[in-house]
Every structure is written in C-alpha cells, then in structure tokens.
Amino acid sequence: MVQKSGRRQSPNILVTGTPGTGKTAMSTALAEATQLRHINIGDLVKKNNLHDGWDDELDSYIIDEDLVCDELEDVMEEGGNIVDYHGCDFFPERWFDCVVVLQTDNTILYDRLSKRGYKDSKLSNNVECEIFQVLLEEAKESYAEDKVVAMESNNIEDISRNVATLTDWIRNWASPPQS
C-alpha cells in the first residue's frame, strides 16, 4: 500500500548475487523475520511460464524479462517485497529501495555449485563471475550506488548477521544498510 506522499509503506529489497551465494536462504530468513513477501524469480518464471523455453547449454530457462516485469508491476508498487534473483539489470530502478549483492569466497562457492551438480562449464562460468564481481558491477551500473550494498555470505553466521542488519534497516527504513 502506498502512502499519500507516494512513498511505499514498506521497502522493496532486491537480493542478487552469483548462483550459490545464498540468495534464497537469506531471502527466506529475512522474509520470516520481517513479514515481507519473498519472491523467488526462478520459481515465478517456472510457475507462470514467464520464459522462452529451455537453454540446454546453460541448463536453465530463458526468462522473458518483459513478462517478468509485467507480472511483478502491481506487487512491486505496493512495496514490502524481497526479490531474489541472480540478475538485476532488467528490473526498473524505481522498484527497489535497497539492492543487496551477496558475495561468497570462491572455494566455498565452487563446493556449493559442485554439490548442486553443475556441469563444468556452468560451474566455472559462475565462479568466474564471482571472481570478477560481475553482479556487484551490474548492480552499481543499474542502481544508484547509495542503494547497493555488498554482503559476505560464506556461512550461516553471515546469513544471520545479514538478516539482522537488513531487519534493522527495514525497521528504520530510510537509507540502505552499511555493511
């Protein structure tokens, strides 16, 4: 629900990062702590057929970014959402009050993706994205820099600390948290 001033009553947060950095785990925990709505874009794409088919090489759906944005428009205007996705450059900037980029140590990330059964090419591509901080740069290019915050996500203690930091920020919603 939007206040008369035009500002949403609750913020929208984008949680992004390379696959395997803990986006869904942290988003789920944050949603439970704050009662904000968790929207996992991968699940939304599958459930509502917001894709253009399957990419065998990448072993994933080819999402239709326009359909995803159309699907989310109303709920994003209401506020109170935690959006969880490994990309961030196609969402309208106006949707988000904070953009969290989760980052994971490369050896930890490699182990996580190996356990998921990622093929060698997909595994190395994602680890390289993390090494070169591709998602952090994408976020900084797509959103006002004061909305973007990088957070370490190597273990459960990091997730707990990140949830506590973001929960405090939501309670005092005004500017992005300091990491």
Side-chain angles (χ1 to χ4, degrees), residues 64-79:
D64 184 320
E65 296 171 353
D66 291 331
L67 287 177
V68 170
C69 289
D70 289 346
E71 180 77 17
L72 291 175
E73 183 69 42
D74 291 341
V75 74
M76 295 306 293
E77 291 300 322
E78 291 172 13

Side-chain angles (χ1 to χ4, degrees), residues 56-97:
D56 288 327
E57 187 176 323
L58 295 176
D59 199 28
S60 65
Y61 285 104
I62 304 164
I63 75 162
D64 184 320
E65 296 171 353
D66 291 331
L67 287 177
V68 170
C69 289
D70 289 346
E71 180 77 17
L72 291 175
E73 183 69 42
D74 291 341
V75 74
M76 295 306 293
E77 291 300 322
E78 291 172 13
N81 301 293
I82 302 164
V83 175
D84 158 8
Y85 191 58
H86 62 264
C88 67
D89 60 348
F90 69 92
F91 297 114
E93 182 179 2
R94 65 183 157 72
W95 280 2
F96 298 105
D97 304 292

